[in-house]
Amino acid sequence: MKVTDLKGIGPKTAALFEKLGLFNAEDLLSYYPLHYDFYEEPRAIGAAVAGEKCAVQGVITRTVAVKATGKVTIFTTQIEDPTGKLRLTWFNAPYVQSLLRRGAVFIFRGNVVRRGAELLMEHPEILTLAKYEELSGSLRPIYGLTKGLSNGVVVRAVQQALDLLPRAEEYLPEGLLVDMGRLLREEDALEAIHFPKDEAELLSAQKRLAFDEFFFFVLAMRRLRQMEAAEENAFPMELGWKTEEAIAGLPYHLTNAQLRVWNEIEGDLVGAHPMARLVQGDVGSGKTVISFLAMLLCAENGFQSVLLAPTEVLARQHYEKLCAFCATNAAFAGVRPVLLVGSLRAKERREALSAIAAGEANAIVGTHAVLEETVVYKSLGLVITDEQHRFGVKQRAALAERGTGRPHTLVMSATPIPRTLGIIYFGDLSISVIDELPARRLPIKTAIVDETWREKTEHFIRKELDAGHQAYVICPMIEPAEELAAMDVGTAARRLRKAFPDISVGILHGRMSGSEKEKAMAAFAEGKTKILVSTTVVEVGVDVPNATVILVENAERFGLATLHQLRGRVGRGDAQSYCIFAQGSESKDVEERLSILKKSNDGFVIAEEDFRLRGTGDLLGIRQSGDPRFRAADLGRDRDMLRLAGKIAGRVLAEDPELSMAEHAGIKKRLEAYFAAEERIDSL
Ligand code: ADP
Ligand code: MG
């Protein structure tokens, strides 16, 4: 059914829907609300807090004042209750003049802001007591919108779609549904996620839909694993002496955990089936050298390998490092690296491509450009991704089809997913864990400070610089933005240059060109710039062991996982390192969140705590993971559903691996649709 078949939706609105990816009426059903508006009990005026949305009941004590300023006309009045007074303003709302007579009583609902010493409610909704009574306690869906589209239009469209469209049949066999206890039926969950009666119903709906998303995700991963495990190793390798020599030639001893993981990888590469392995290791655990060893082994066996990084900065750094290994470690003599990133000049790119096609280059380092179809490999035997998501179904199939067989895949990640969940979530991969940091590393000292500490912080950075070390300063933004009070790279750099006139300060952010970024990174790595002011582009993987202090501005604006990754940029050498989180907010929640980082340096512990905190708080807001596979599910909040999905998927597949039993027909059909949708996701 087309969206234009719904009442009240013409071609103009349909075009707006299209912008949101909504083409059919069916799409509306899974266009879940971003969050819900909750009409809670009105507060006493004295209890209104700046920065919060609330409802207050009061009597109007002043005639509406009108002030015209250019395009906007501002209407102002004031209300009172026994606990206090509150000023109210509206923009371009002439109707309030006749509505709000002195002495009348209404409920006003809106955002409270501070203006000087006074509190003010901006553009509040105006409701009669009776109307408020009616709405009170109810949840109204708020959808993601685009310019020109109002929430009401989406609400009415979704309502019609729910009324008109036939609901998909429940795919879970009755027996399982019963075993799973209080899970809502799918069709009821779909209704309730849009129009929940109350919080309890919303919660059950979220749980059920999260279960569905996880269930097919897990099933798909396990099927994929079964299929791949049945394939033959198209690039069988033999172990030689070279990797042993390489390890002996390192300037440090590999940790026991690194050695163990390396053994597991070797076992896969010489084994009967293609490798599909995840290496989980906290920041700084030394994953890079493991990937280089795998590339070396691959080259020694006459195959090519690819190392894929999420950013160009990181790809270039890996490339430089690999070249340095080749130059200093004799065992790497047969490894011939080449860099392939988007910003190469045409000639460089041509040369790289022909070296790859001819097999002259056998260790290719790059960004996702390396997987484009225009890149022709001679014998691609191993694909490694660093700090990036897994390969999708389609990507894997494409890799398998393009060359002489399915290459081995290795995923390197400091994934913030707690171990027990990781086993379910990464059901398509074997997992190796590097659970040990190189010896001689001193734990990073972490401090959480506020604005009053700025001088001390600068003093501290100065001391580290004087000792010959370097510093990162991380900002949430590139340029100042009015509406967000947060530090930006430009301002921070200016301020630091003024505070340290004799120190060279470099900057790095995503809007710089590839070669500018490269220059900035290289200058910092070589110690030419002492302070690097950057956005989170340095978040993953960047390795400059001489940097011993990192200052993160407006730390409250980053997630814990990101902060932990950022902190991992220091503490990579022998010297004591420091991490300073500067927070620009006084909220208790922020403090609790940040204090987790102070208590622990262990990524897994932090992930656990982060999940625990988010798990309880986020009922009314559906988090946007950005992954179209998870529209309703949140790994933190719905971890119980991931566990349940893992359990049920295991049970179903154990009983009926091919899903050929009649009672699993529904599951089978949905799984096929899921694989098809997954392909679409991959090719986005
Ligand atoms: P990550 O796991 O975060 O990718 P890296 O591979 O970048 O970590 O390693 C972090 C730093 O530790 C690098 O400077 C690397 O040279 C160094 N390193 C790796 N393994 C060891 C080891 N066994 N002993 C000492 N230093 C090591
Ligand atoms: Mg790394």
Side-chain angles (χ1 to χ4, degrees):
M1 188 192 259
K2 288 202 292 267
V3 285
T4 41
D5 293 337
L6 300 172
K7 245 187 261 140
I9 298 195
K12 248 200 197 145
T13 311
L16 295 173
F17 274 147
E18 250 173 56
K19 275 197 195 160
L20 300 172
L22 303 169
F23 299 93
N24 302 310
E26 284 79 3
D27 297 334
L28 285 165
L29 296 182
S30 55
Y31 194 63
Y32 304 139
L34 278 185
H35 54 97
Y36 302 83
D37 213 356
F38 185 57
Y39 285 78
E40 43 178 271
E41 284 293 295
R43 285 189 207 173
I45 290 176
V49 179
E52 284 182 17
K53 183 170 190 171
C54 68
V56 290
Q57 177 178 334
V59 54
I60 294 162
T61 53
R62 285 202 198 144
T63 313
V64 175
V66 185
K67 199 168 120 202
T69 58
K71 272 192 204 144
V72 279
T73 309
I74 302 172
F75 300 84
T76 312
T77 186
Q78 181 170 295
I79 55 168
E80 245 181 71
D81 75 3
T83 66
K85 296 177 184 166
L86 187 65
R87 218 145 62 86
L88 311 173
T89 66
W90 289 264
F91 310 104
N92 299 338
Y95 57 86
V96 303
Q97 264 181 299
S98 52
L99 185 63
L100 304 179
R101 297 282 175 206
R102 264 171 70 175
V105 175
F106 287 98
I107 291 174
F108 300 90
R109 183 163 177 274
N111 289 317
V112 179
V113 296
R114 180 172 292 287
R115 285 283 173 274
E118 190 184 33
L119 289 184
L120 181 113
M121 190 179 263
E122 279 185 337
H123 214 87
E125 237 179 303
I126 306 165
L127 299 129
T128 60
L129 306 196
K131 179 74 186 166
Y132 203 87
E133 180 68 47
E134 190 189 312
L135 288 171
S136 171
S138 76
L139 293 164
R140 281 206 318 183
I142 307 290
Y143 293 94
L145 300 172
T146 183
K147 200 167 182 254
L149 190 66
S150 77
N151 195 56
V153 171
V154 183
V155 168
R156 280 189 293 280
V158 171
Q159 184 73 68
Q160 289 184 63
L162 280 169
D163 290 345
L164 295 173
L165 292 172
R167 227 45 66 72
E169 244 170 80
E170 176 64 63
Y171 67 84
L172 285 169
E174 208 54 42
L176 274 183
L177 261 180
V178 171
D179 287 357
M180 284 158 58
R182 293 186 305 278
L183 224 48
L184 271 190
R185 296 186 69 83
E186 194 189 12
E187 54 193 75
D188 299 331
L190 209 51
E191 184 99 33
I193 194 87
H194 290 287
F195 303 107
K197 278 203 294 289
D198 50 33
E199 281 190 52
E201 198 188 62
L202 173 60
L203 190 61
S204 327
Q206 279 172 343
K207 289 282 170 211
R208 168 65 211 244
L209 296 175
F211 174 85
D212 293 342
E213 288 179 356
F214 285 141
F215 183 65
F216 288 104
F217 177 76
V218 170
L219 267 186
M221 291 304 133
R222 297 212 179 152
R223 287 286 292 162
L224 201 61
R225 173 110 198 216
Q226 282 176 350
M227 278 155 22
E228 288 182 357
E231 274 180 44
E232 274 190 21
N233 183 349
F235 300 93
M237 304 196 191
E238 274 176 36
L239 304 182
W241 287 108
K242 285 288 181 212
T243 48
E244 301 301 321
E245 277 173 48
I247 293 171
L250 291 172
Y252 44 74
H253 291 290
L254 289 183
T255 62
N256 286 330
Q258 282 172 313
L259 285 171
R260 190 188 64 237
V261 169
W262 171 238
N263 273 326
E264 289 166 353
I265 293 170
E266 277 185 327
D268 286 347
L269 295 177
V270 304
H273 307 290
M275 170 168 75
R277 184 170 290 278
L278 166 73
V279 174
Q280 262 184 332
D282 209 347
V283 274
S285 61
K287 297 184 288 293
T288 316
V289 62
I290 301 297
S291 63
F292 288 176
L293 289 174
M295 295 178 96
L296 169 59
L297 184 59
C298 200
E300 285 306 311
N301 280 275
F303 307 128
Q304 291 170 304
S305 60
V306 147
L307 173 57
L308 196 68
T311 62
E312 207 167 309
V313 168
L314 188 52
R316 285 181 187 273
Q317 181 191 286
H318 281 334
Y319 172 72
E320 301 289 335
K321 255 206 194 150
L322 185 55
C323 290
F325 267 68
C326 294
T328 57
N329 193 317
F332 274 81
V335 175
R336 296 179 303 273
V338 69
L339 178 72
L340 192 60
V341 291
S343 70
L344 290 187
R345 273 175 267 131
K347 178 157 169 285
E348 292 172 318
R349 187 179 160 81
R350 258 198 321 276
E351 283 170 5
L353 288 182
S354 75
I356 295 168
E360 284 155 25
N362 59 9
I364 298 98
V365 183
T367 48
H368 60 273
V370 298
L371 293 183
E372 279 166 18
E373 271 163 39
T374 48
V375 187
V376 180
Y377 292 92
K378 187 142 184 261
S379 61
L380 180 57
L382 168 67
V383 180
I384 307 170
T385 59
D386 188 29
E387 302 297 0
Q388 212 175 19
H389 290 294
R390 66 174 81 236
F391 296 98
V393 177
K394 170 90 174 297
Q395 274 174 320
R396 282 205 230 183
L399 280 175
E401 278 160 20
R402 74 190 302 162
T404 29
R406 184 184 293 281
H408 300 286
T409 54
L410 185 60
V411 177
M412 317 285 262
S413 167
T415 176
I417 295 179
R419 248 173 285 244
T420 48
L421 292 181
I423 291 169
I424 308 170
Y425 188 74
F426 293 106
D428 55 333
L429 302 170
S430 315
I431 303 182
S432 294
V433 182
I434 308 187
D435 50 6
E436 185 186 349
L437 291 181
R440 293 185 58 205
R441 290 269 176 79
L442 298 166
I444 302 166
K445 291 197 173 145
T446 300
I448 300 166
V449 304
D450 59 26
E451 195 55 31
T452 59
W453 280 68
R454 187 158 297 282
E455 223 172 288
K456 272 196 195 159
T457 304
E458 281 173 359
H459 190 71
F460 184 80
I461 292 177
R462 175 93 232 183
K463 249 183 33 204
E464 284 299 302
L465 296 180
D466 287 346
H469 299 308
Q470 290 166 274
Y472 293 97
V473 174
I474 308 297
C475 305
M477 299 200 288
I478 300 175
E479 284 163 5
E482 246 182 60
E483 62 277 20
L484 295 170
M487 184 60 83
D488 63 279
V489 171
T491 308
R494 238 173 290 124
R495 194 189 255 180
L496 287 162
R497 284 179 182 136
K498 210 166 137 209
F500 308 117
D502 55 324
I503 296 284
S504 56
V505 176
I507 61 170
L508 179 67
H509 57 74
R511 255 187 254 150
M512 290 161 58
S513 74
S515 65
E516 283 171 341
K517 276 189 252 180
E518 182 195 8
K519 268 195 212 128
M521 204 53 235
F524 189 64
E526 288 160 19
K528 284 188 197 141
T529 46
K530 299 292 178 199
I531 302 180
L532 185 64
V533 185
S534 165
T535 53
T536 52
V537 289
V538 297
E539 175 181 345
V540 289
V542 168
D543 184 44
V544 179
N546 191 45
T548 54
V549 52
I550 183 163
L551 163 65
V552 183
E553 298 276 7
N554 295 103
E556 74 278 4
R557 294 194 175 268
F558 301 104
L560 286 189
T562 299
L563 292 173
H564 179 61
Q565 283 283 350
L566 285 170
R567 175 166 61 185
R569 294 317 105 214
V570 298
R572 308 192 135 239
D574 298 338
Q576 175 66 55
S577 290
Y578 305 88
C579 173
I580 306 166
F581 294 127
Q583 57 159 328
S585 138
E586 291 151 33
S587 129
K588 267 265 166 289
D589 290 356
V590 170
E591 228 176 275
E592 191 183 348
R593 236 158 43 86
L594 290 180
S595 70
I596 293 171
L597 291 162
K598 208 172 149 177
K599 274 184 273 176
S600 177
N601 252 334
D602 178 335
F604 286 112
V605 173
I606 290 165
E608 280 291 347
E609 284 290 296
D610 193 18
F611 275 27
R612 189 183 59 77
L613 275 187
R614 282 201 285 139
T616 50
D618 211 15
L619 173 63
L620 296 186
I622 289 185
R623 222 172 51 87
Q624 293 299 87
S625 64
D627 183 336
R629 268 172 288 241
F630 301 118
R631 286 162 176 268
D634 179 290
L635 261 182
R637 187 191 63 203
D638 302 318
R639 53 201 298 188
D640 52 339
M641 287 298 117
L642 179 59
R643 288 214 184 84
L644 185 63
K647 202 171 102 190
I648 301 290
R651 227 161 90 180
V652 169
L653 285 180
E655 191 189 11
D656 181 15
E658 298 295 324
L659 299 176
S660 48
M661 287 164 59
E663 61 176 303
H664 296 147
I667 298 181
K668 185 172 183 162
K669 206 169 121 209
R670 289 279 185 103
L671 184 61
E672 277 157 13
Y674 187 88
F675 271 117
E678 176 97 348
E679 284 194 17
R680 274 201 310 271
I681 292 172
D682 283 348
S683 56
L684 282 181

